[in-house]
Amino acid sequence: MCAALPSSLLTVSINKAINTQEVAVKEKHARTCILGTHHEKGAQTFWSVVNRLPLSSNAVLCWKFCHVFHKLLRDGHPHVLKDSLRYKNELSDMSRMWGHLSEGYGQLCSIYLKLLRTKMEYHTKNPRFPGNLQMSDRQLDEAGESDVNNFFQLTVEMFDYLECELNLFQTVFSSLDMSRSVSVTTAGQCRLAPLIQVILDCSHLYDYTVKLLFKLHSCLPADTLQGHRDRFMEQFTKLKDLFYRSSNLQYFKRLIQIPQLPENPPNFLRASALSEHISPVVVIPAEASSPDSEPVLEKDDLMDMDASQQNLFDNKFDDIFGSSFSSDPFNFNSQNGVNKDEKDHLIDQLYREISELKTQLENMKTESQRAVLQLKGRISELEAELAEQQHLRQQAVDDSEFLRAELDELKKKREDTEKAQRSLTEIERKAQANEQRYSKLKEKYSELVQNHADLLRKNAEVTKQVSMARQAQVDLEQEKKDLEDSFQRISDQAQRKTQEQAEVLESLKQELATSKQELQVLQSSLETSAQSEAKWADQIAVLEKERGSLATTVTQRDEELSVLQEELKHTQVQLSSTQESVEQLAKDQRKALLMESRKAAEQMIEAALSQLEEPAVISCAGSADHLLSKIKSVYSCIEQLEKSRSQYLACPGDISGLLHSVTLLAHLTSDTVLHGSTTCLRAPPEPADSLTEACKQYVKETLVYLASLEEEDSLERASSAAVRSCLSRMAAIGEELLPRGLDIKQEELGDLVDKEMAATAAAIEAATTRIEEMLSKSRAGDTGVKLEVNERILGSCTSLMQAIQVLIVASKDLQREIVESGRGTASPKEFYAKNSRWTEGLISASKAVGWGATIMVDAADLVVQGRGKFEELMVCSHEIAASTAQLVAASKVKADKDSPNLAQLQQASRGVNQATAGVVASTISGKSQIEETDNMDFSSMTLTQIKRQEMDSQVRVLELENELQKERQKLGDLRKKHYELAGVAEGWEEETEASPPTLQEAVTEKE
């Protein structure tokens, strides 16, 4: 390796390679730039020089920069990519800027910059791929990590990469006049020179794509990869045509050997076809120089070359014939007898020798160049292996760090486990100590009994037995104190944990029973002692006095025992009083909880009643179907509340069910009242007034019913008959407000649903296609700010259409699930006919979505043409969002709340709302960007003129406010008329004689 290149020499080479002359980049300057990146192990110098160049103002300069940068990414140091990532956003901005120019190098620079950004992103995501894309089959397999998902994603990224390469290829050919020999001109070579790098990339990408597709077809079904095959066929056709056209250009024939793709593409459905695949190899002849280092020869260059060749020939002639002869080669008189034929013979011989020397020289050059290429290839392979080893080393370092972190975590867990083990050991030790203490206490009781027996058998030990009895009394007193302490602790715990009182009291009772038994044992022992004294009276006559003292002691013992019994009775009385107080406290707490729940329920219902007249509720509109579903839920809740009330009366300790039912009734009542109010907005006046009064009466009866649940006396007599009556009245009004249906047979509803959903999907497809056509037309005819605004608006409209398509697919899936789960043994048509109102709601919502999409596309077309209003587009987007919300509501009304399809539908609905917000935001932004606010200049106006202008402005403000009020009144009248027409169309004005017994049946069926 030669010495490091000076920074100044590298800077000069970069400036010479990237200049404003429309000629190809010279190879020696590009090679110097590549060597410079290897010497400094990066591209810091390159970017420091490039940042000072006016790339945004000179298209030719930007084009040559792209060519040099492409070479550096392919053959430069691997750190070139890392050093260049920070400039990726600047390249994107420059690409968009040059994209606004439709002629010259503008479009070429835009597409080339996009290609370079794609190449950088690809190599960043796939670091195993070197810049020149040269990999073996083993390395390609390792890049996918033997995971079919990775291979699938890698194939998609290669398709995108190859698409950018082919786009640049086609754009360069389109910009050239192929009717002339453009490849021999400096301008043509400037445009064609970067295509050599593109050809090298395309050959590798095509080869890897074929191999990956064969691998994917061996792991995945053919239907799954249909999109991959279609995309490959399209790129195969383009690449084959471009390779064929490139191979016919004179410029490429002497510089690069372009491979020809097979006549037919590979058959991926046949695994054996992989053996027939031949990897395309691009060959650069050793004797051919780079297109960059072989400029076109002008006239002066040809003259200089002829002069230099003539001088070389003269020098060679002098060496052979002498200087005097060469000074005048045609002076035949001074040739010392050499005639003309001999001279011609010598000249011919000289020419032959020169040609042989030239041939040898050319052969030597060829051999040297071939050796240089082989060495370069070997160097590239070694560098690739070195990079791979470094990557493996870094991966091993990362793995070791990860393992070290896991080891530290395991050590911490082990320490925590040891601490927990020590704590557990300490707890067990304390438990054993407690058990030993209790066992000692029992042993003391047994010792007391044994001492009494010994006292009766041995009079000599009477005094000792009495002392032991006293000790036993002390122990009993200590036990009494312990019982009192235990009772105190239990009393404290009773205040915190009411549910544990029964168990604690039971345990205390058991302990008292045990104490009683032990006292009875002592009493029996004492009685046995008295009897034994009578038996042994004759035998212990000598010990009369001791017996008297013993009798006295026994009497005292009996008195102490009686005192102890009194104290135990007193303790029992205290325990019973404590139990009563605890029960009373629990009863008071349950009563307080029920009271608080009732108050919260009343507040919630009163809040819902107070919101009936608020603007936020007035601006909404509900449906009778939704109101009926809410009423059904309230029916079910009331029945559940009655069951919970019965359970509470039977078992006062369990109040959780009653509290849950009261809270649920409050929530459902508030929702029902609000939906009843919003349903009135879409109803005719008379049913609307009746429904409003019924809602208010229902709220009143519900509050009365909840108030009766507070006291125990009224709880038993509480009745929900009045509440049910109000609900029945509301349900009857809701049944009257239901639409009467379409003028079709119920048997045709199922087919009509499918047709309307298909028509809606087709309308969305047509709208999307039309938006794409408008976008293409705008790009072709508009420029500058107008083009940017149109692209942003149409792009947001396209996103909205795509979101609606996802919503329609999710709605179809959910409807299919509803029909499958609800029809039983009936057919789908019978299910739709049975649920005709729900079916008609779906049909109406589908029509609204399709109509909204068509109207929005028309509005967008007018806005793009400059003849429409931005506000109209905003209104259309809001309208289509409302229509999709209607479709979501109609689809989810019969769905299971835990259904995954329902979750997908709700997610798609949120996507539509976000897309609608995007349309509104892009419309507002475009409007503010196009409209220019004219700032008035008041500097030259007098006080009188300013006063006059102020009065005119006030008059204009009053006029606009008056017009705004009139328009709002007109909008209200239009909405009212719309509701009336919709009510006539849906049968609101027809009276329904059928009462709603089906409502009770629906509630029973739901339960």
Side-chain angles (χ1 to χ4, degrees), residues 188-401:
Q189 290 181 4
C190 184
R191 299 191 181 192
L192 291 174
L195 295 186
I196 295 178
Q197 312 298 322
V198 175
I199 292 172
L200 293 171
D201 288 344
C202 289
S203 63
H204 291 298
L205 291 175
Y206 167 77
D207 182 32
Y208 299 155
T209 304
V210 172
K211 294 177 180 178
L212 289 178
L213 283 177
F214 273 112
K215 187 179 294 293
L216 288 176
H217 278 79
S218 65
C219 302
L220 297 177
D223 296 338
T224 306
L225 299 172
Q226 181 63 42
H228 279 49
R229 290 197 300 273
D230 295 340
R231 193 170 183 185
F232 175 80
M233 288 296 299
E234 179 183 357
Q235 293 185 353
F236 173 81
T237 304
K238 292 181 181 179
L239 185 61
K240 180 180 178 182
D241 179 65
L242 293 173
F243 275 8
Y244 176 75
R245 293 173 64 184
S246 301
S247 61
N248 293 329
L249 289 178
Q250 186 65 30
Y251 176 69
F252 290 123
K253 285 183 178 180
R254 58 191 178 85
L255 298 175
I256 189 172
Q257 182 178 346
I258 302 175
Q260 296 300 322
L261 299 184
E263 186 66 24
N264 297 319
N267 185 8
F268 299 109
L269 301 179
R270 184 168 55 90
S272 59
L274 178 60
S275 60
E276 302 174 3
H277 170 66
I278 301 176
S279 300
V281 178
V282 180
V283 179
I284 299 178
E287 64 273 8
S289 60
S290 172
D292 304 329
S293 62
E294 191 171 341
V296 178
L297 299 178
E298 303 294 340
K299 183 176 179 181
D300 296 337
D301 297 335
L302 292 173
M303 293 176 64
D304 295 340
M305 181 176 290
D306 292 340
S308 61
Q309 291 180 354
Q310 183 63 34
N311 293 332
L312 180 62
F313 176 77
D314 292 341
N315 294 333
K316 187 67 177 177
F317 198 87
D318 291 340
D319 294 339
I320 298 175
F321 297 100
S323 60
S324 60
F325 183 81
S326 62
S327 62
D328 190 6
F330 299 100
N331 186 4
F332 301 104
N333 296 325
S334 61
Q335 293 180 4
N336 299 323
V338 180
N339 55 20
K340 182 177 180 181
D341 294 334
E342 293 177 354
K343 177 178 176 292
D344 293 337
H345 177 71
L346 292 174
I347 291 173
D348 294 336
Q349 182 180 359
L350 178 61
Y351 273 117
R352 285 194 300 271
E353 292 179 356
I354 291 173
S355 62
E356 292 177 356
L357 292 174
K358 286 183 178 181
T359 304
Q360 295 177 1
L361 181 60
E362 292 296 331
N363 292 334
M364 293 177 63
K365 288 182 179 181
T366 303
E367 293 295 333
S368 64
Q369 290 179 357
R370 184 179 295 108
V372 169
L373 291 177
Q374 292 178 353
L375 291 176
K376 285 184 178 180
R378 181 58 181 168
I379 290 172
S380 300
E381 293 178 358
L382 293 175
E383 289 178 348
E385 292 180 359
L386 179 59
E388 183 178 2
Q389 294 297 329
Q390 291 178 350
H391 176 71
L392 293 175
R393 176 178 173 274
Q394 184 64 32
Q395 187 176 4
V397 171
D398 295 340
D399 292 340
S400 65
E401 291 294 335

Side-chain angles (χ1 to χ4, degrees), residues 830-990:
E830 293 175 353
F831 177 81
Y832 283 121
K834 180 180 178 181
N835 301 272
S836 59
R837 289 195 177 99
W838 176 67
T839 305
E840 291 163 3
L842 290 178
I843 295 172
S844 175
S846 300
K847 286 184 177 180
V849 172
W851 176 79
T854 305
I855 296 300
M856 193 187 75
V857 172
D858 294 336
D861 191 9
L862 293 176
V863 169
V864 170
Q865 294 178 5
R867 296 186 288 108
K869 297 180 179 179
F870 289 94
E871 291 80 2
E872 183 177 359
L873 182 59
M874 295 166 62
V875 171
C876 290
S877 63
H878 284 298
E879 184 66 25
I880 198 170
S883 301
T884 54
Q886 181 183 358
L887 179 60
V888 171
S891 299
K892 66 186 283 190
V893 69
K894 285 184 174 293
D896 186 6
K897 64 179 182 179
D898 297 329
S899 173
N901 291 326
L902 177 60
Q904 293 179 1
L905 180 64
Q906 292 173 345
Q907 182 66 27
S909 176
R910 288 191 288 270
V912 171
N913 293 333
Q914 293 177 358
T916 303
V919 173
V920 174
S922 60
T923 304
I924 295 175
S925 176
K927 179 181 178 182
S928 62
Q929 191 172 358
I930 290 179
E931 293 180 352
E932 295 182 357
T933 304
D934 296 333
N935 297 323
M936 297 184 63
D937 185 11
F938 303 107
S939 60
S940 60
M941 298 178 63
T942 62
L943 178 62
T944 304
Q945 291 175 345
I946 291 175
K947 187 64 177 178
R948 179 63 180 174
Q949 291 289 338
E950 182 180 355
M951 294 175 63
D952 293 342
S953 297
Q954 292 178 354
V955 171
R956 181 58 179 165
V957 168
L958 293 175
E959 291 176 353
L960 292 176
E961 288 178 350
N962 189 18
E963 291 179 2
L964 177 61
Q965 184 177 1
K966 291 181 179 179
E967 285 297 327
R968 286 179 173 171
Q969 185 177 1
K970 181 179 178 182
L971 178 60
D973 295 338
L974 288 174
R975 286 181 175 175
K976 183 177 180 181
K977 189 64 178 177
H978 173 263
Y979 295 151
E980 292 177 357
L981 294 177
V984 172
E986 298 180 6
W988 286 352
E989 296 181 356
E990 298 180 5

Side-chain angles (χ1 to χ4, degrees), residues 567-586:
E567 290 179 355
L568 288 176
K569 290 180 180 179
H570 180 67
T571 303
Q572 290 178 354
V573 172
Q574 289 181 350
L575 286 176
S576 60
S577 61
T578 303
Q579 184 176 2
E580 292 177 358
S581 62
V582 168
E583 291 178 356
Q584 183 64 30
L585 177 61

Side-chain angles (χ1 to χ4, degrees), residues 455-459 526-541 544 547 550:
L455 178 63
L456 295 175
R457 290 192 302 266
K458 297 180 181 181
N459 293 325
L526 292 174
E527 291 175 358
T528 305
S529 299
Q531 294 176 1
S532 299
E533 286 178 5
K535 290 181 181 180
W536 291 95
D538 297 335
Q539 297 178 4
I540 56 173
E544 287 276 346
R547 186 186 63 179
L550 179 60

Side-chain angles (χ1 to χ4, degrees), residues 128-152:
R128 293 178 181 268
F129 283 80
N132 56 9
L133 297 175
Q134 293 180 0
M135 295 182 68
S136 62
D137 293 343
R138 181 180 61 83
Q139 292 174 337
L140 183 62
D141 293 338
E142 292 176 353
E145 298 178 353
S146 300
D147 188 356
V148 67
N149 296 320
N150 294 340
F151 286 124
F152 190 92

